[in-house]
Amino acid sequence: MSESMMFNLAPSFIPLTGEDRRFPVRRIYCVGRNYLDHIREMGGDEREPPFFFQKPADALVLDGACVPYPSATEDFQHEVELVLAIGTRGRNIETGDAARFVCAVGVGIDLTRRDLQLKARDRGRPWEPGKSFDHSAVCSELLPWAAPHLPEHGLIELSVNDEVRQTADLGQLIWSCAEIVSQLSRQYLLMPGDLIYTGTPAGVGALRPGDQVVAEAQQIGSVRISIGEPAAG
């Protein structure tokens, strides 16, 4: 096989705070509609439980990166989210046991081509064009987690060019972190290397080339990216 035909099979890795080892990413799951104010902001059904969608592992973006403005959109938006990293294989996990399966936590940004997402939603089609594109999953370093409970409170916010756009407390999650792990494990076998983005609060908004974006979760971490010009070719 020629070099030009070889596949790059190297997995994506995320640094772990205070450790030399890194977290190898297997799958990226995201939760839709998990803050009431964001459901109202987007015009959704407040009584509908959250659902899950995926992003490819190679969509991962780490701290300090410049993300090119994506193609095929005129409405590129940010969504700040708490991220859970799965460290133990599990299926049909009980809510009270969920913390045992999470080895680290972080803060992420679910980057979204909103116009494509809404077109797909209105036509009853999958969300991949709006959610699962290149460079769409931003994540901070991961903080190792060994507490008996998953984060239940704490400020999470996102700013663009030093202006706060999104701010909330993790206690406002409709479905808690433990409930999310439990529900997802009833649909998929969770494996070490899986990431779960737990949903975004209100305040989502457009990004443009030149923007400086910072996402933070209290006592967990932060991540900074910049938005670049559209990629050539």
Side-chain angles (χ1 to χ4, degrees):
M1 181 181 294
S2 68
E3 183 176 350
S4 62
M5 295 177 63
M6 292 180 64
F7 294 101
N8 179 10
L9 299 179
S12 300
F13 290 91
I14 304 177
L16 287 160
T17 302
E19 299 190 9
D20 293 332
R21 63 192 180 96
R22 299 181 297 166
F23 182 85
V25 178
R26 173 182 175 263
R27 291 182 181 175
I28 300 174
Y29 296 98
C30 300
V31 182
R33 301 172 186 167
N34 202 25
Y35 281 88
L36 187 58
D37 53 0
H38 179 56
I39 293 176
R40 292 171 176 169
E41 175 181 56
M42 298 302 295
D45 184 349
E46 297 179 13
R47 297 171 297 175
E48 182 180 3
F51 58 90
F52 301 96
F53 58 91
Q54 293 188 41
K55 292 175 180 277
D58 64 2
L60 187 67
V61 174
L62 299 182
D63 184 52
C66 180
V67 175
Y69 194 94
S71 61
T73 185
E74 296 180 357
D75 193 8
F76 180 43
Q77 295 196 3
H78 57 76
E79 299 188 3
V80 64
E81 312 202 10
L82 181 73
V83 179
L84 309 176
I86 299 297
T88 301
R89 173 187 174 116
R91 191 194 297 276
N92 298 324
I93 299 167
E94 296 297 330
T95 300
D97 293 332
R100 294 196 298 108
F101 294 84
V102 174
C103 66
V105 296
V107 60
I109 309 172
D110 169 10
L111 293 173
T112 302
R113 295 190 289 200
R114 186 72 69 201
D115 44 359
L116 301 189
Q117 179 201 8
L118 295 181
K119 286 179 183 178
R121 184 194 69 180
D122 293 344
R123 295 173 182 173
R125 295 178 178 176
W127 282 15
E128 276 84 352
K131 289 288 191 178
S132 303
F133 53 96
D134 296 338
H135 316 296
S136 61
V138 180
C139 192
S140 69
E141 284 192 357
L142 295 173
L143 177 68
W145 193 262
H149 301 286
L150 295 175
E152 297 177 346
H153 294 282
L155 180 70
I156 185 168
E157 67 178 25
L158 179 141
S159 62
V160 179
N161 302 326
D162 296 323
E163 176 186 352
V164 175
R165 293 267 191 94
Q166 293 183 267
T167 185
D169 190 277
L170 296 175
Q172 296 174 269
L173 285 167
I174 297 172
W175 298 87
S176 70
C177 293
E179 290 171 326
I180 289 167
V181 172
S182 178
Q183 288 194 32
L184 184 59
S185 74
R186 298 177 194 282
Q187 299 182 31
Y188 300 93
L189 172 64
L190 299 185
M191 296 288 289
D194 291 343
L195 295 178
I196 307 173
Y197 284 57
T198 58
T200 195
V204 299
L207 295 170
R208 296 175 177 81
D211 282 345
Q212 303 295 313
V213 186
V214 178
E216 299 180 87
Q218 186 178 28
Q219 297 184 332
I220 290 174
S222 65
V223 62
R224 176 187 295 269
I225 61 168
S226 58
I227 306 302
E229 296 295 330

